[in-house]
Amino acid sequence: IFKRKKRRHSVLESQRRRSDRVKGQPPSVVGMDFLKSRPQLFQKNQAARTEVVRRSCRSSPLLTKLLKFPLYLASIDVTVFELGQIYRGAFCHNYWSSAQCAYHHIYPIGYRAQKEYFGRLFEMTIHLGEVGPIFKVRDVQREVEHSGHTPTHPWTSVCLAAKLGTRISGPLFFGFSDPELQDAISNMYTKDEREASETGSVVHNTSPSPLEAFVKEVTSNVVGLGEASVLAVARWPALGDISLSALRHLVVQDQGKEFLSFLLTSSEMPENVRRWPKWKIVAQKVVHRLLQKDIFSQTPKRGQSLKQGVVVNSTHQPISGNTRPCDKVVNISCLAPKQHVSKVSQVVSTSKSKRKKLYDMSIHQAI
């Protein structure tokens, strides 16, 4: 009985409250002001935060000479044979890892490593893609190769093919979660790249290619087209000059019928885009945007629906006949040039379903 009481007393002592704030006080009150009032705690906290932020860019001038390949990463059981090189060409901003990763870094092109998993040896490589890196995982024994645009995609294909029913972290299996490998990669950074790795941002190409400039111009002015879709549009045989003005001139000639058919049926478009159930509606909005005269002056924000452009003027009407107080008179001015679409003025309900039907009708008239 005595031992039991003594043990209970020691457990209670270990669980005793040791916080400096009053019991019941919200934790948000004890913040930076509390730390600054205690210089030693503040310096310790800042040092810990700095170490976490800069852990992806620790480097030393002799690091490359000290490292010998093949390099074995004991933390994740990966053998690195080639470190690769930093790519700084077109679309180099797509070669950065996600800012939510443990280490924010650049994926080196030419990287080659091996890892043994569930009794088989796999070779992992990173190749140069059209707009970003391509990650490949090859089963050495079975000569089966899986590829994807992120480190997780090929490893997910490996798990699905083996019917493992597990989830794998691609950056972890590629070796990018090891501090020693991150030190080696950060040793190849420039000053701007080092700052970007600390802040979680990316470094863009200072002299973009014509294709990169075209992708940036279209994605910033036309809502609904991403980089992969714009690259498919750039390969459109009917498009001669790769520019937004040339694309708009081609669309205006036949009111966007040929361009809409290309967006919906062409094999050049990404397969996941063509399979998207709402792609038909989005493609019609893209054509409408290109038919606007003021496409370069009034650019909608990313994520803003073009549906907002349908309602130009709305005023409440007095109660008369079948008109209800909530009804509005909506003057519909289509997003296409005015000479191709007749203006309509009618009374419609403010309900979401009827406004959507009215908007779809205006889109059909323009095309």
Side-chain angles (χ1 to χ4, degrees):
I1 298 173
F2 177 75
K3 289 183 179 179
R4 202 175 279 179
K5 287 184 177 180
K6 187 175 181 180
R7 184 179 179 184
R8 184 180 180 183
H9 178 72
S10 62
V11 171
L12 292 175
E13 285 292 332
S14 63
Q15 293 179 353
R16 181 176 296 175
R17 178 181 174 84
R18 297 179 180 179
S19 176
D20 291 334
R21 60 187 173 90
V22 182
K23 187 175 182 180
Q25 184 180 7
S28 58
V29 176
V30 184
M32 294 303 296
D33 295 336
F34 171 76
L35 291 174
K36 289 180 180 179
S37 63
R38 292 161 174 78
Q40 293 182 353
L41 289 177
F42 179 73
Q43 293 178 2
K44 185 178 180 180
N45 179 268
Q46 289 297 104
R49 289 174 60 87
T50 303
E51 176 62 22
V52 171
V53 172
R54 295 186 177 181
R55 60 183 175 176
S56 64
C57 59
R58 294 191 303 266
S59 62
S60 114
L62 301 177
L63 185 60
T64 306
K65 296 181 180 179
L66 294 176
L67 288 178
K68 295 182 179 179
F69 293 91
L71 175 66
Y72 178 69
L73 307 177
S75 62
I76 45 183
D77 192 22
V78 172
T79 303
V80 181
F81 291 92
E82 295 181 17
L83 185 60
Q85 299 293 329
I86 300 297
Y87 174 73
R88 299 183 177 91
F91 302 98
C92 61
H93 58 277
N94 292 335
Y95 288 80
W96 285 79
S97 66
S98 174
Q100 285 74 31
C101 293
Y103 296 96
H104 184 56
H105 63 96
I106 302 176
Y107 292 118
I109 301 302
Y111 176 84
R112 184 169 67 90
Q114 287 185 354
K115 181 177 178 60
E116 188 175 351
Y117 188 58
F118 57 86
R120 298 211 297 267
L121 184 64
F122 292 91
E123 185 181 48
M124 302 167 290
T125 55
I126 303 179
H127 302 268
L128 183 68
E130 188 176 13
V131 293
I134 298 177
F135 302 87
K136 295 184 179 181
V137 176
R138 184 175 65 90
D139 190 340
V140 178
Q141 282 83 4
R142 298 185 178 183
E143 293 293 333
V144 178
E145 188 176 74
H146 306 273
S147 62
H149 296 285
T150 65
T152 307
H153 282 175
W155 275 113
T156 302
S157 301
V158 170
C159 294
L160 292 176
K163 298 180 181 180
L164 297 177
T166 58
R167 299 182 65 180
I168 290 179
S169 171
L172 177 67
F173 272 50
F174 265 81
F176 295 123
S177 299
D178 187 83
E180 188 176 4
L181 180 61
Q182 287 299 323
D183 290 341
I185 295 176
S186 63
N187 192 50
M188 299 185 292
Y189 288 165
T190 61
K191 182 179 178 180
D192 295 337
E193 292 169 348
R194 194 176 306 280
E195 293 178 356
S197 64
E198 294 179 11
T199 58
S201 58
V202 297
V203 177
H204 293 267
N205 190 10
T206 55
S207 56
S209 63
L211 180 60
E212 189 175 4
F214 173 69
V215 171
K216 184 178 180 180
E217 185 181 19
V218 174
T219 53
S220 59
N221 288 280
V222 181
V223 178
L225 290 179
E227 285 189 351
S229 300
V230 176
L231 285 172
V233 172
R235 294 190 292 267
W236 188 21
L239 183 63
D241 186 19
I242 303 179
S243 64
L244 181 58
S245 58
L247 176 62
R248 184 186 179 279
H249 177 73
L250 190 62
V251 171
V252 170
Q253 287 182 354
D254 61 346
Q255 296 304 301
K257 294 181 180 179
E258 185 179 358
F259 182 62
L260 182 62
S261 176
F262 172 81
L263 293 178
L264 298 177
T265 61
S266 177
S267 59
E268 294 288 344
M269 295 296 297
E271 186 177 0
N272 59 339
V273 175
R274 288 186 285 110
R275 287 184 176 182
W276 186 29
K278 295 184 179 181
W279 174 237
K280 184 176 181 180
I281 299 175
V282 174
Q284 292 175 350
K285 293 180 181 181
V286 169
V287 173
H288 268 284
R289 180 60 183 163
L290 291 172
L291 289 173
Q292 291 185 72
K293 290 184 177 180
D294 55 350
I295 185 173
F296 299 100
S297 58
Q298 296 182 2
T299 304
K301 298 180 180 179
R302 299 292 296 176
Q304 179 182 1
S305 175
L306 295 181
K307 183 179 178 180
Q308 300 173 2
V310 175
V311 180
V312 176
N313 184 21
S314 61
T315 56
H316 289 280
Q317 297 295 321
I319 302 177
S320 61
N322 296 328
T323 308
R324 296 174 297 173
C326 61
D327 290 342
K328 298 180 180 180
V329 172
V330 181
N331 295 328
I332 304 174
S333 176
C334 188
L335 298 177
K338 295 181 181 179
Q339 62 269 22
H340 302 295
V341 181
S342 60
K343 293 184 179 180
V344 183
S345 179
Q346 59 183 0
V347 179
V348 296
S349 175
T350 57
S351 62
K352 187 176 180 180
S353 60
K354 289 191 177 182
R355 284 192 178 183
K356 185 178 183 301
K357 183 182 295 185
L358 186 63
Y359 174 72
D360 294 340
M361 181 185 68
S362 63
I363 289 178
H364 181 72
Q365 290 176 355
I367 296 177

